[in-house]
Amino acid sequence: MDSNLHEGDLDDVVVTVHWRRSAQTDDYNPETKSGYYADVYGALTVGPVDPSTFVPYNELTQDNVEAWLEAGLVNPTPAEMDAQLAENIELQKNPVEETLPLPWKSWKVR
C-alpha cells in the first residue's frame, strides 16, 4: 500500500492499494507448474480520508483493506473478476486458439 506520510493531523494515510486476485485448480502446483492458474492485478486509489473514521496504519486489518477493495472495484466487480478468472482457466484447459510455427523452414532477410 502506498501512503502519504502526513495528511493534515493524520500520519501514514493509505492512498493506493495494490492488489492481486487469483484462481487455481485444486491440483495446481506452483513448483512444477502443473494444474491451472490465472490472476489479475491492479491498483485502487482510496480517499479522501475521513478523520472521524480514520484507522491508523498499524491498526489496519486485512478485512479493512478488503472492504475498501470490495467497495472500490466496480468495473469489473470482484465477482466479475472471479468469473473472468474461471473462464481463463477453462480456456487453458480447452484452448480455442494456438500460435503455430511457420510452415516454411527458414526465414530470409532481404
Side-chain angles (χ1 to χ4, degrees):
M1 293 184 285
D2 299 333
S3 302
N4 287 340
L5 295 176
H6 307 289
E7 199 168 297
D9 292 334
L10 305 174
D11 295 330
D12 301 327
V13 177
V14 175
V15 293
T16 305
V17 176
H18 300 270
W19 56 268
R20 180 176 302 273
R21 197 164 185 95
S22 62
Q24 63 192 42
T25 55
D26 291 337
D27 63 342
Y28 177 69
N29 182 329
E31 292 177 13
T32 63
K33 305 292 186 204
S34 61
Y36 300 94
Y37 175 87
D39 71 344
V40 62
Y41 59 91
L44 175 70
T45 301
V46 294
V49 65
D50 178 353
S52 67
T53 59
F54 177 74
V55 178
Y57 188 87
N58 61 351
E59 294 176 21
L60 283 173
T61 64
Q62 184 172 343
D63 288 339
N64 294 132
V65 177
E66 286 180 358
W68 297 345
L69 292 169
E70 289 286 332
L73 296 174
V74 294
N75 192 15
T77 65
E80 291 167 335
M81 281 186 240
D82 290 343
Q84 292 168 353
L85 291 168
E87 288 173 20
N88 181 299
I89 287 176
E90 282 306 310
L91 281 173
Q92 291 178 52
K93 291 178 179 179
N94 303 294
V96 295
E97 61 182 39
E98 179 180 16
T99 302
L100 298 173
L102 296 174
W104 55 86
K105 295 187 191 270
S106 65
W107 184 58
K108 297 178 184 176
V109 176
R110 294 179 190 204

